[in-house]
Amino acid sequence: MPNNTFLSSFYKGFQIIKSHTTNSLITITLKPDPTAMCQCGRTSNSVHDYQWRVLKEAMMFDTPVELVVQTRRINCSSFGVKAEARSWVASYSRITNRLKGYIEKLLPLLPIKHISELTGVRWHTIKEMDKQRLKRVVPEVPWSDLRQLVMDEFTIFKGHRYATVIADAQSHQVLWSGIGRSRKDIRPFFEELGDNAANIEVVAMDMNTAFDLEVQAHCPNARIVYDLFHVVAKFSREVMDRVRVDQTNQLKTDKKARR
């Protein structure tokens, strides 16, 4: 293990009193300095009570790290009994800020399931972190500037279960997604779009009748554009296949012509 003086610098206000290493886990025990810092910024030497907590830390030498931390509530002269401030872990969190930052770097690269297996953090905890991350990094939707939309459906889970995604055709920003592909399922998007629906000029989609009807109902000035793939697929199914069947029937008795 690296020396404790170096590692203690990562945990401001705390000192490492013990560390233990196995092949599968590094355990570090931390105790607070004599003077505590309240969340309001004031210092205090008056301790209300102590409690031990176990936190997850980012891996070290490809080995999971667990922190056993003695936490305390202090008597603040201004706000009464308060939890001691810790800059390296958020209040009530079971993972350190360092591990949280590591997970957030992995989220754009790996599925949540794989990150959970790698870090040992619960799937639902990582999912909530991803939601908060997306709120920070995804820009607000410029509803009044929207002019061109794209709509598509995709399968989820197993079987015939679908969801719909709607995006800005110009910026490629995802504007909305929801479970289902019916008119009722996609209506919340147009309700959120509100009066800005009159600004929509073009909506690209596959040949989903529900999409078509809902756009016509809410976007009076929009032209509907079917994507080329579905147009060609529909032509192949309904025209080329019909011609092929008709020709086969006409030549059924003419073996020479069928060669």
Side-chain angles (χ1 to χ4, degrees):
M1 282 283 291
N3 67 77
N4 289 346
T5 302
F6 170 73
L7 285 178
S8 293
S9 65
F10 291 100
Y11 310 107
K12 184 178 180 181
F14 288 75
Q15 296 296 322
I16 296 176
I17 61 168
K18 184 172 62 175
S19 60
H20 178 70
T21 305
T22 67
N23 292 333
S24 59
L25 182 67
I26 297 173
T27 303
I28 300 174
T29 304
L30 300 171
K31 292 192 74 173
D33 293 339
T35 301
M37 178 73 71
C38 179
Q39 296 180 23
C40 69
R42 292 179 171 84
T43 58
S44 174
N45 292 313
S46 177
V47 178
H48 181 76
D49 59 15
Y50 292 93
Q51 185 178 4
W52 288 95
R53 296 182 63 194
V54 178
L55 309 178
K56 287 186 178 295
E57 174 63 291
M59 287 195 298
M60 189 181 301
F61 313 123
D62 293 327
T63 304
V65 178
E66 180 180 85
L67 302 180
V68 180
V69 185
Q70 186 183 53
T71 62
R72 56 192 174 181
R73 290 189 299 168
I74 60 176
N75 297 307
C76 177
S77 59
S78 299
F79 297 95
V81 178
K82 287 289 183 181
E84 178 180 10
R86 296 180 298 274
S87 61
W88 43 274
V89 59
S91 299
Y92 309 110
S93 177
R94 293 289 181 177
I95 65 175
T96 65
N97 294 340
R98 188 172 298 104
L99 177 55
K100 180 181 179 183
Y102 174 64
I103 291 173
E104 288 184 344
K105 289 180 180 178
L106 293 178
L107 280 168
L109 307 174
L110 295 174
I112 292 177
K113 179 182 177 182
H114 294 174
I115 299 174
S116 179
E117 293 172 352
L118 178 65
T119 61
V121 178
R122 293 176 64 249
W123 188 95
H124 292 286
T125 300
I126 299 175
K127 182 64 176 179
E128 188 60 33
M129 291 171 56
D130 195 27
K131 290 179 182 178
Q132 298 302 320
R133 180 188 68 88
L134 290 172
K135 287 180 180 179
R136 295 196 307 269
V137 302
V138 175
E140 290 292 327
V141 176
W143 296 106
S144 60
D145 296 335
L146 295 177
R147 296 294 183 272
Q148 301 174 3
L149 304 178
V150 287
M151 305 175 64
D152 199 8
E153 62 191 53
F154 57 94
T155 56
I156 55 175
F157 308 116
K158 294 182 179 179
H160 295 287
R161 298 187 63 186
Y162 295 88
T164 300
V165 61
I166 302 175
D168 182 354
Q170 295 175 307
S171 67
H172 302 164
Q173 178 183 349
V174 173
L175 306 174
W176 183 89
S177 63
I179 303 298
R181 55 177 179 172
S182 69
R183 293 188 64 177
K184 180 181 177 181
D185 293 328
I186 65 176
R187 192 164 298 149
F189 167 75
F190 293 98
E191 292 173 348
E192 189 170 2
L193 187 60
D195 294 339
N196 296 304
N199 299 330
I200 303 301
E201 301 170 351
V202 177
V203 182
M205 63 180 72
D206 59 20
M207 305 183 84
N208 182 320
T209 303
F211 290 0
D212 194 327
L213 294 175
E214 200 64 15
V215 169
Q216 291 183 48
H218 293 276
C219 305
N221 302 317
R223 288 182 298 150
I224 295 174
V225 178
Y226 297 127
D227 67 77
L228 182 61
F229 172 83
H230 287 89
V231 171
V232 172
K234 186 177 179 67
F235 181 82
S236 176
R237 288 194 308 270
E238 299 184 6
V239 179
M240 294 180 65
D241 286 353
R242 184 68 262 169
V243 171
R244 188 181 301 111
V245 170
D246 290 344
Q247 288 297 308
T248 300
N249 290 335
Q250 290 178 14
L251 302 174
K252 187 178 296 184
T253 58
D254 191 343
K255 293 183 179 181
K256 184 176 180 181
R258 293 177 60 184
R259 291 177 181 176

